[in-house]
Amino acid sequence: MERRTFIVSTGAGAGAVLAGCADAEEENGNVNEDDDGTGGAEGSDDGESESEEETDDSTEPDEESEGEEQDGETEGEDEAAESEGDEDEGASEEEDAADEEEAEKPPTSEITISVTDTEGESIAGVEVHGEGEPHEADIPLEFDAETDEDGVASTPIYENEYTIEVDHPDYDAETVEHAHEGETEVSVELEADKPDPDEYENEILNETPLEVEKFEMYDGYGVSGCVVRVPIANEGEEQLQFDYTFTAHYGDDVLAEFSSPETIDTHTERDLSAQFSDIDTCNEATHFTLELGNYQEVDHEDGDVEGEITTDSEAEGVFVVEDHEFDNSECRISVDAVNESDETITGLLEIVMYGAGVTEIDEAQTQSNSFDSELEPGETRSFHVGSSICAELESYEVRVDVE
């Protein structure tokens, strides 16, 4: 028996293939009368159509499944949104409850701070800074103020416990612990800031041609208080008149001061000194300064400056001037006076110096120095005055009286 192979195609060339097969069967005498040449193709089309219908039917459940999945996702999203909404409502309710439970702020009241030094004097410009303890209520924990010219600072603060710092550049700072429970006055005493003596040195400010040595300081030796001394020398050919000032300092403050005019002759050495009776010991001062200035040449010879005596009627025969002279080398006037009475007296003596062409007291060209001294019967007292107008000095007058 002969086997034949049939290739069935549903494509465009199906008719040609089938036709070729039919021709071969006719040649072999084995043609099926029922086949019209198109039967195979029609069967194939029917099969293909049925397959396509089956395929279409098989995809319908997938579309329904996708719809169900989409419906499930939407329902899940809705449930999540509802859950988030519930959470937001819960958080809002918690915040509302927290607001209702927020601590009530304490009341405020005035605090007044008075600041003085150890002498009870008010201190202006004191900086006051307070810092409170943490509080359950939302309140400011810090405050700042500054004392006025009366040493007082006031400000309203919340009731709380505070640490208060009180500070001024010239004083040691103080810290005060204060429980504020209503209007309160707080008094603070500040002690002056103590300077360190090691930070200071003695200083000489010399604006004259004089040679000046270093400071010498000593206590006691038969005098009260602190004595300072500085050796000077005039190596020039002219007599000089000048002013000098000794100052005792405590830090930036002045403890005591002494000023005087002075005259020094040519080729002369001498000491300038000052006695500070207000200072018990020299160690009370951190340092000392000496200033020399306002100098001028003096052209005097012995006998150039003449003096006279004027005695009040009540002093005649009682308080008597024994001797007086002008010392040209030191530009100084010396007077010796005696009590010639039989009783203790208080003698009044005034030495008036006149500049060129001046015959009466004129502040610009005169110098006046007065003394009152208690003298026993027969006692003699000496008085010495240096001239601050030595360069212009022409004459002087000694005026005598009794009390």
Side-chain angles (χ1 to χ4, degrees), residues 367-380:
Q367 178 183 339
S368 176
N369 298 83
S370 298
F371 307 89
D372 56 69
S373 300
E374 187 176 297
L375 291 86
E376 299 293 332
E379 182 181 357
T380 299

Side-chain angles (χ1 to χ4, degrees), residues 113-177:
I113 301 173
S114 301
V115 185
T116 59
D117 61 16
T118 54
E119 302 296 327
E121 297 294 328
S122 301
I123 306 176
V126 177
E127 295 181 358
V128 179
H129 175 75
E131 185 168 342
E133 292 293 325
H135 198 281
E136 58 184 0
D138 184 16
I139 61 173
L141 298 178
E142 298 184 16
F143 70 89
D144 292 281
E146 183 175 324
T147 60
D148 57 19
E149 59 183 6
D150 296 323
V152 177
S154 298
T155 185
I157 60 175
Y158 285 94
E159 292 187 0
N160 195 6
E161 294 183 359
Y162 292 90
T163 298
I164 302 175
E165 297 285 343
V166 183
D167 191 21
H168 189 281
D170 298 333
Y171 297 85
D172 293 333
E174 287 288 338
T175 301
V176 178
E177 300 296 335

Side-chain angles (χ1 to χ4, degrees), residues 32-40 42:
N32 188 344
E33 294 178 355
D34 294 333
D35 289 339
D36 58 1
T38 59
E42 290 177 357

Side-chain angles (χ1 to χ4, degrees), residues 80 158 321 337 359:
Y158 285 94
V321 174
T359 57

Side-chain angles (χ1 to χ4, degrees), residues 7 30 91 130 157 161 188 211 237 242 277 349 383-384 394:
I7 298 175
N30 292 325
I157 60 175
E161 294 183 359
V188 181
E211 295 183 5
E237 300 297 328
F242 61 95
S277 57
L349 188 141
F383 304 90
H384 307 279
E394 287 191 351

